[in-house]
Amino acid sequence: MRRQSLGFAGLALALFCAPAAEACTLGTPGTTQRIAIGDTGRSLLLHVPAGPRGKAPLVFVLHGSNGDGAAILAGSKLEATSDRHGFLLAAPDGGIAAGKGYVWNIPGVPTVTGKVPGPGDADDVAFLGAAIDWLAGQGCTDRRRVYATGLSGGGRMASWLGCVAADRFAGIAPVVGLRAGNPSAADPRFPDPATCTPSRPMPVIAFAGGKDNTNPIDGGGAGYWHYPMRRAEARWADLNGCRRPLPERVLDSGMIERGYTDCRGGAEVIARITPEAGHMWTADNEAMWAFFARHRR
């Protein structure tokens, strides 16, 4: 009994003497500032929510093509949502300069410039992974609750993260940009299944405009787009092993909602379309956060 008692005492002493986990000290609550990410040579705008500090959920909001982090923060109005619900909000710039802003590197898919990114272009997936690790290392975020949303080209990038970085992200919410892999070279009206093979079920909520002529929900458009949004939804449902389609319904907001449920790992696939909206931020930020909040890795 004496040896057991000493063991408990030793354990208590070890716990008492162990260094406390580093608390997040980045930024001032309720403000946004530019943060350099480790030794990557890149930075991002980080909004620290108002309220208590701690390991918060992290949402990346990704700008559209030729845009930047500052523009998407202003256009999405997600900073206010961050303050209401207590999640960190990160707005990086894409790794490839284009026009007055940046575009994202989605391998094998042409950007809005018409150029397919090459091996010398910045690896945006690697950078976002490094940002997660760096913010977690500062004691600022919970690695199990990291999410991505984005507008247009940023929505396509969020979709790509769902395909290739499911081990890092707990959910995605593309806005006028849902994809499920690159358009097939054999028939671009369909996604190429070889280009989207997530390592785990990926919860997806996507927002779109019924009158979007840039990324039309019925397909067509530029070389990076082509296949209809419904085919992207169906592909994600297949990848997630969803067994039950949801009946289409009209919400009080006027949005049309459809999707799939009863999926592996508790995943969902939800699409919300604003019939009269064009190529713009159509997301219901509160609904987006409610979706993210019920999913974690």
Side-chain angles (χ1 to χ4, degrees), residues 163-217:
C163 290
V164 302
D167 59 329
R168 308 307 305 271
F169 289 86
I172 59 171
V175 181
V176 298
L178 177 67
R179 301 286 79 189
N182 302 349
S184 170
D187 186 348
R189 296 174 302 167
F190 294 86
D192 178 356
T195 59
C196 188
T197 56
S199 59
R200 54 175 288 275
M202 175 55 60
V204 178
I205 184 169
F207 299 88
K211 293 187 175 179
D212 185 346
N213 294 320
T214 302
N215 294 339
I217 62 172

Side-chain angles (χ1 to χ4, degrees), residues 2-97:
R2 181 173 177 80
R3 289 176 60 189
Q4 186 179 34
S5 175
L6 286 172
F8 281 127
L11 176 61
L13 181 63
L15 290 173
F16 180 79
C17 295
E22 186 176 358
C24 182
T25 58
L26 291 177
T28 301
T31 67
T32 300
Q33 66 184 70
R34 186 164 291 278
I35 301 290
I37 300 299
D39 59 0
T40 65
R42 293 175 66 174
S43 63
L44 51 75
L45 291 171
L46 184 71
H47 182 78
V48 178
R53 307 299 293 268
K55 289 189 175 183
L58 171 62
V59 175
F60 285 94
V61 58
L62 308 177
H63 61 76
S65 299
N66 297 323
D68 60 22
I72 193 61
L73 282 179
S76 69
K77 297 181 170 52
L78 277 169
E79 287 163 301
T81 315
S82 163
D83 285 336
R84 282 193 296 274
H85 297 287
F87 60 85
L88 283 173
L89 181 64
D93 297 332
I96 303 173

Side-chain angles (χ1 to χ4, degrees), residues 203-273:
V204 178
I205 184 169
F207 299 88
K211 293 187 175 179
D212 185 346
N213 294 320
T214 302
N215 294 339
I217 62 172
D218 292 327
Y224 58 75
W225 192 249
H226 281 312
Y227 59 86
M229 181 174 171
R230 277 190 184 273
R231 288 200 173 128
E233 297 161 35
R235 178 61 183 153
W236 278 112
D238 184 52
L239 288 166
N240 288 340
C242 301
R243 292 182 286 272
R244 185 163 66 91
L246 295 171
E248 189 171 288
R249 62 176 182 150
V250 179
L251 306 178
D252 291 342
S253 64
M255 283 185 176
I256 297 169
E257 183 184 78
R258 62 193 186 215
Y260 300 83
T261 188
D262 196 13
C263 312
R264 289 186 296 113
E268 307 167 78
V269 178
I270 303 294
R272 287 190 171 188
I273 298 165

Side-chain angles (χ1 to χ4, degrees), residues 127-171:
F127 169 65
L128 295 175
I132 295 168
D133 291 338
W134 191 83
L135 289 167
Q138 304 301 308
C140 295
T141 194
D142 178 353
R143 294 176 189 270
R144 297 183 61 216
R145 295 186 293 165
V146 179
Y147 312 93
T149 183
L151 172 70
S152 188
R156 292 188 291 109
M157 184 65 195
S159 300
W160 183 242
L161 292 170
C163 290
V164 302
D167 59 329
R168 308 307 305 271
F169 289 86

